[in-house]
């Protein structure tokens, strides 16, 4: 009888489970339920069947996800937090990671990685035939803990959800070192052909095209003053709840009792961390070479059923109109690309429509796709601090204006106000008063020697993937052995060797290991995470940054 009771309790327990009835998602995988044995891009992972991991199917699953609160006997929907819908977008929709003991599909979550494998790949037994594209995975025990390697990969992938891009380049072909420069330039990952603006979503990547002194002249060198990660070092920072601009006066209400740190006379800047805008890209499927990314200039809003995998139904090259059909559905949508950009596409080609989030450290904004300007306010000064109402009053100096979008704050936007770190007196000048993440001596050096620190002596942006740096020794602080971590300018990113730059020779977004040791994120990437997660911690970040002997 006792056994029967416990059995009944077990059954009752099963009845309390609140997993929705989604049978054809990753959660529906059972023994001998086949996964697609298609290789995932350039790696040797085996993907789940698309039907299990596509956003639409997972969103249906998330929409029904509930939690059960026993005391009040109520159910709460927790799904909306994780759903990527155009009208009810969850705040954490791109920060969900599903741990599996099966080889994962990567980048299924557009920005980050939705699936992470916690088991060792050797522990997996696959059966079936690659030829019929169906494989079975023998059931595996979920391990108690993850290996450090799996954790490193997971951290790297999660960082993609916070606006960090890959700082590495694809491994070159075997005979690469023997190729001539001309041959090497023909290699698909040597040249980045997409618009520079498609890198705006990353705080740690910038297109060479953005920086070239003369965009039509490859040998014109770069203008170091245009480097994106000239982010101000910050000593005080708060998040703004409301902003009111009246002529030369700005009134800010701040979140979370952050007002007391500011004082009358403080120089402050305003910047948005997140802007409300829709930017969509048409991206070629992951195994295409070269990889194409085109900005969609019309329509302004794209329904969520067209996000993710779509097929090209027809192309009007004269007007750069591309008609797409959503995956497995019959309705279609016409999107307009920039002039000339539809020429590389093919009818019936599978492509992806992605939403592009804005630069998480929003210091530049585009006046058009090829030109950008600083998106930070002019220097303002604090004229009043009111602790009872948590209000800060700021003055806009005469002859300065606040760009339009810094005068308003939409519900989907986040604005910060901060006091920057001053440069020491011997480095300070009227037009360069504040310290930036890239140290002034490094910036000055790059102005005089306008080439990345991993270019060779002939200034070729060569094209190797080990953590090398030719940073001159006078830029390395005394006794430091961490010169690879100094923020500067390096060639390589988003798998490309040429045409894309990243900040330092060593970063977890570049390699997870160097010399068999785990790498940390570089200062630009760490700054980005602080900015996204808790900007009130900038002072703590800065203290740590200065303690590392990597700031000349
Ligand atoms: Zn990555
Ligand atoms: Zn980095």
């Amino acid at each position: 009888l006792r056994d029967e009771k416990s059995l009944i309790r077990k059954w009752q327990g099963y009845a309390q489970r609140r997993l929705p009835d989604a049978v054809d998602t990753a959660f529906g995988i059972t023994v001998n339920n086949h996964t697609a044995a298609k290789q995932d891009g350039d790696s040797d992972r085996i993907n789940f069947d698309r039907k299990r991991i596509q956003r639409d199917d997972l969103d249906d699953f998330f929409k029904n996800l509930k939690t059960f609160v026993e005391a009040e006997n109520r159910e709460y929907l927790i799904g909306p937090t994780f759903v990527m819908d155009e009208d009810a977008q969850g705040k954490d929709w791109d920060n969900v990671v599903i741990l599996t003991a099966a080889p994962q599909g990567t980048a299924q979550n557009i920005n980050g990685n939705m699936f992470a494998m916690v088991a060792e790949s050797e522990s997996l037994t696959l059966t079936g035939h690659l030829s019929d594209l169906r494989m079975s995975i023998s059931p595996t025990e979920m391990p108690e803990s993850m290996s450090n390697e799996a954790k490193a990969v997971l951290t790297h992938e999660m960082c993609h959800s916070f606006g960090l891009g890959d700082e590495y380049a694809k491994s070159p072909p075997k005979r690469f070192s023997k190729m001539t420069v001309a041959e090497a330039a023909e290699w698909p990952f040597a040249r980045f052909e997409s618009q520079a603006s498609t890198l705006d979503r990353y705080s740690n990547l910038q297109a060479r095209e953005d920086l070239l002194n003369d965009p039509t002249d490859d040998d014109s060198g770069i203008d170091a003053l245009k480097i994106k990660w000239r982010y101000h070092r910050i000593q005080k920072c708060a998040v703004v709840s409301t902003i009111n601009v009246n002529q030369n006066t700005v009134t800010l209400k701040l979140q979370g009792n952050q007002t007391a740190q500011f004082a009358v006379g403080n120089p402050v800047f305003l910047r948005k961390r997140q802007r409300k805008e829709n930017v969509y890209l048409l991206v070629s499927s992951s195994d295409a070479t070269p990889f194409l990314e085109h900005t969609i200039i019309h329509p302004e809003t794209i329904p969520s059923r067209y996000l993710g995998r779509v097929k090209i139904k027809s192309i009007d090259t004269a007007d750069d109109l591309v008609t797409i059909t959503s995956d497995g559905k019959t309705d279609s949508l016409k999107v307009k690309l920039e002039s000339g950009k539809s020429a590389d596409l093919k009818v019936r080609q599978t492509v992806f429509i992605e939403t592009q989030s804005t630069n998480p450290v929003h210091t530049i904004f585009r006046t058009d796709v090829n030109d950008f300007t600083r998106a930070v306010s002019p220097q303002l000064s604090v004229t009043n601090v009111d602790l009872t109402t948590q209000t800060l009053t700021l003055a806009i100096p005469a002859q300065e204006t606040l760009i339009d979008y810094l005068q308003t704050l939409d519900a989907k936007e986040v604005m910060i106000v901060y006091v920057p770190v001053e440069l020491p007196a011997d480095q300070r000048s009227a037009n360069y008063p504040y310290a930036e993440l890239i140290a002034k001596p490094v910036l000055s050096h790059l102005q005089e020697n306008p080439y990345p620190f991993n270019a060779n002596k002939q200034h070729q942006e060569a094209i190797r993937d080990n953590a090398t740096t030719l940073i001159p020794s006078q830029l390395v602080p005394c006794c430091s052995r961490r010169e690879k971590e100094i923020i500067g300018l390096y060639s390589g990113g988003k798998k490309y060797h040429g045409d894309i730059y990243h900040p330092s020779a060593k970063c977890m977004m570049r390699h997870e290991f160097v010399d068999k040791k785990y790498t940390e994120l570089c200062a630009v990437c760490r700054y980005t995470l602080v900015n996204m997660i808790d900007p009130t911690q900038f002072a703590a970040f800065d203290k740590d940054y200065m303690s590392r002997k990597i700031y000349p």
Side-chain angles (χ1 to χ4, degrees):
L1 189 63
R2 184 178 294 163
D3 282 346
E4 274 177 15
K5 268 189 180 163
S6 73
L7 192 61
I8 288 166
R9 268 202 298 277
K10 212 172 176 181
W11 286 343
Q12 285 171 330
Y14 286 143
Q16 288 302 322
R17 289 199 304 188
R18 286 298 184 272
L19 288 176
D21 307 323
V23 291
D24 213 3
T25 68
F27 305 93
I29 287 183
T30 54
V31 182
N32 291 327
N33 204 343
H34 302 287
T35 55
K38 179 184 175 299
Q39 290 201 334
D40 178 10
D42 57 339
S43 70
D44 52 5
R45 288 186 198 98
I46 292 170
N47 252 328
F48 287 130
D49 193 306
R50 276 199 295 116
K51 275 189 174 167
R52 303 180 194 290
I53 53 175
Q54 280 288 288
R55 201 61 229 209
D56 278 2
D57 299 286
L58 279 166
D59 277 350
D60 282 343
F61 174 86
F62 288 135
K63 273 177 194 153
N64 292 308
L65 204 60
K66 289 170 190 162
T67 182
F68 184 70
V69 182
E70 212 163 350
E72 298 169 41
N73 204 21
R74 280 167 59 190
E75 284 178 349
Y76 292 101
L77 269 176
I78 56 170
T81 315
F82 308 124
V83 171
M84 190 185 83
D85 252 356
E86 72 259 40
D87 14 87
Q89 198 166 84
K91 67 178 173 61
D92 286 329
W93 65 270
D94 59 343
N95 291 323
V96 183
V97 177
I98 294 156
L99 302 181
T100 74
Q104 75 277 35
T106 50
Q108 301 295 345
N109 207 11
I110 298 181
N111 289 326
N113 179 12
M114 193 160 236
F115 295 87
M117 183 166 75
V118 296
E120 303 300 316
S121 27
E122 308 84 66
S123 70
L124 295 171
T125 314
L126 297 174
T127 53
H129 300 282
L130 273 167
S131 56
D132 60 14
L133 298 181
R134 284 287 179 263
M135 302 287 280
S136 288
I137 301 170
S138 304
T140 322
E141 288 283 308
M142 283 295 273
E144 291 285 313
S145 62
M146 287 169 78
S147 68
N148 282 341
E149 189 170 2
K151 281 180 194 162
V153 172
L154 177 57
T155 309
H156 170 107
E157 301 297 345
M158 283 293 281
C159 284
H160 285 312
S161 289
F162 291 90
L164 299 177
D166 285 322
E167 296 181 12
Y168 63 84
K170 196 175 155 76
S171 302
K174 279 208 175 71
R175 292 169 37 80
F176 194 80
S177 55
K178 295 193 178 107
M179 284 183 180
T180 64
V181 174
E183 281 168 343
E186 291 302 306
W187 178 44
F189 285 95
R191 301 306 309 250
F192 176 66
E193 307 281 358
S194 303
Q195 298 107 296
S197 62
T198 59
L199 299 181
D200 285 357
R201 72 176 118 168
Y202 308 110
S203 63
N204 62 336
L205 298 180
Q206 190 167 19
R208 182 162 178 257
E209 191 190 328
D210 264 353
L211 299 180
L212 275 181
N213 279 312
D214 175 358
T216 59
D217 178 5
D218 243 10
D219 298 321
S220 60
I222 56 111
D223 177 358
L225 294 178
K226 288 185 171 174
I227 291 175
K228 191 197 261 184
W229 41 90
R230 288 183 58 199
Y231 305 139
H232 279 142
R233 282 173 47 204
I234 291 175
Q235 50 168 310
K236 298 172 184 176
C237 184
V239 181
V240 175
S241 322
T242 61
I243 178 167
N244 213 306
V245 182
N246 191 348
Q247 291 179 333
N248 290 332
T249 306
V250 183
T251 316
L252 302 177
K253 264 196 201 304
L254 304 186
Q255 290 181 13
N257 288 317
Q258 290 294 321
T259 315
Q261 60 181 317
F262 295 94
V264 171
N266 277 168
V268 294
F269 290 87
L270 294 173
R271 151 165 84 73
K272 277 189 179 167
R273 179 181 81 189
Q274 193 176 312
R275 271 184 79 189
K276 186 196 169 193
E277 60 181 359
N278 297 317
V279 182
Y280 299 100
L281 301 176
L282 188 151
V283 178
S284 56
S285 60
S286 59
D287 24 22
T289 28
F291 192 75
L292 299 172
E293 278 186 307
H294 297 313
T295 309
I296 293 173
I297 53 178
H298 188 81
E300 229 164 74
T301 311
I302 294 180
S304 67
R305 65 182 181 282
Y306 293 104
L307 300 182
R309 187 180 296 250
V310 297
K311 247 199 174 108
I312 295 179
K313 197 178 168 188
S314 62
I315 303 169
D316 170 0
T317 39
D319 288 325
D320 286 293
L321 288 171
V322 180
T323 306
I324 52 170
T325 51
S326 60
D327 198 31
K329 286 156 197 137
T330 47
D331 51 347
S332 60
L333 178 78
K334 238 178 221 173
V335 300
K336 189 171 170 65
L337 304 181
E338 283 185 56
S339 169
K341 295 297 180 186
S342 63
D344 309 323
L345 299 166
K346 292 183 191 72
V347 173
R348 282 192 295 278
Q349 185 181 353
T350 297
V351 290
F352 290 82
I353 306 295
E354 297 187 352
T355 49
Q356 170 163 21
S357 44
T358 53
N359 178 356
V361 186
H362 211 291
T363 54
I364 61 171
F365 91 100
R366 296 214 175 248
T367 41
D368 76 50
V369 274
N370 298 315
D371 207 6
F372 62 86
T373 180
R374 298 281 282 172
V376 184
S377 76
Q379 182 184 316
L380 313 172
S381 63
V382 177
T383 54
N384 191 51
V385 180
D386 185 336
L387 296 182
T388 27
T389 57
Q390 291 288 313
T391 303
L392 218 53
T393 314
L394 315 173
I396 306 173
Q399 287 136 5
E400 292 282 9
T401 46
L402 209 52
I403 42 178
D404 279 355
Y405 82 80
L406 284 177
Q407 301 201 13
T408 57
L409 187 56
D410 187 274
K412 285 191 173 166
E413 299 181 321
V414 183
M415 183 188 275
I416 59 168
V417 55
Y418 64 86
V419 180
V421 173
E422 275 195 6
L423 272 178
D426 60 328
Q427 288 189 29
R428 197 184 313 156
S429 65
N431 57 9
Y432 200 108
Y434 299 113
E436 299 172 354
L437 269 197
I438 177 165
K440 195 178 175 206
V442 178
L443 193 70
S444 305
H445 176 88
L446 286 170
Q447 283 180 277
E448 278 157 38
N449 308 274
Y451 307 98
F453 290 129
N454 57 346
N456 65 15
K457 295 209 165 94
Q458 290 75 46
H459 309 311
Q460 287 160 345
E461 298 186 9
I463 307 211
R464 53 195 161 207
D465 196 25
N466 44 1
T468 41
T469 178
L470 295 176
I471 192 165
S473 56
Q474 74 268 19
L475 294 177
V476 182
C478 167
C479 322
S480 178
R481 272 183 281 163
R482 306 178 80 164
E483 71 271 13
K484 289 174 186 171
E485 295 167 52
I486 296 173
I487 298 303
L489 190 75
Y490 288 83
S491 181
K494 234 174 156 271
K495 297 189 182 170
Y496 291 86
H497 283 269
D499 294 350
I500 295 183
Y501 295 125
H502 67 269
S504 79
K506 198 172 165 188
C507 176
M508 190 187 245
M509 297 314 288
R510 180 160 175 75
H511 343 242
E512 280 125 24
F513 300 90
V514 168
D515 303 332
K516 293 186 183 164
K517 285 187 188 142
Y518 292 102
T519 54
E520 287 184 282
L521 290 163
C522 72
V524 167
C525 291
R526 294 198 305 275
Y527 184 96
T528 307
L529 292 188
V530 171
N531 181 69
M532 293 302 281
I533 296 166
D534 185 1
T536 66
Q537 297 302 311
F538 268 127
F541 160 83
D542 203 68
K543 198 174 163 212
D544 172 76
Y545 184 28
M546 290 306 108
S547 72
R548 292 170 182 246
K549 290 190 178 174
I550 55 172
Y551 195 77

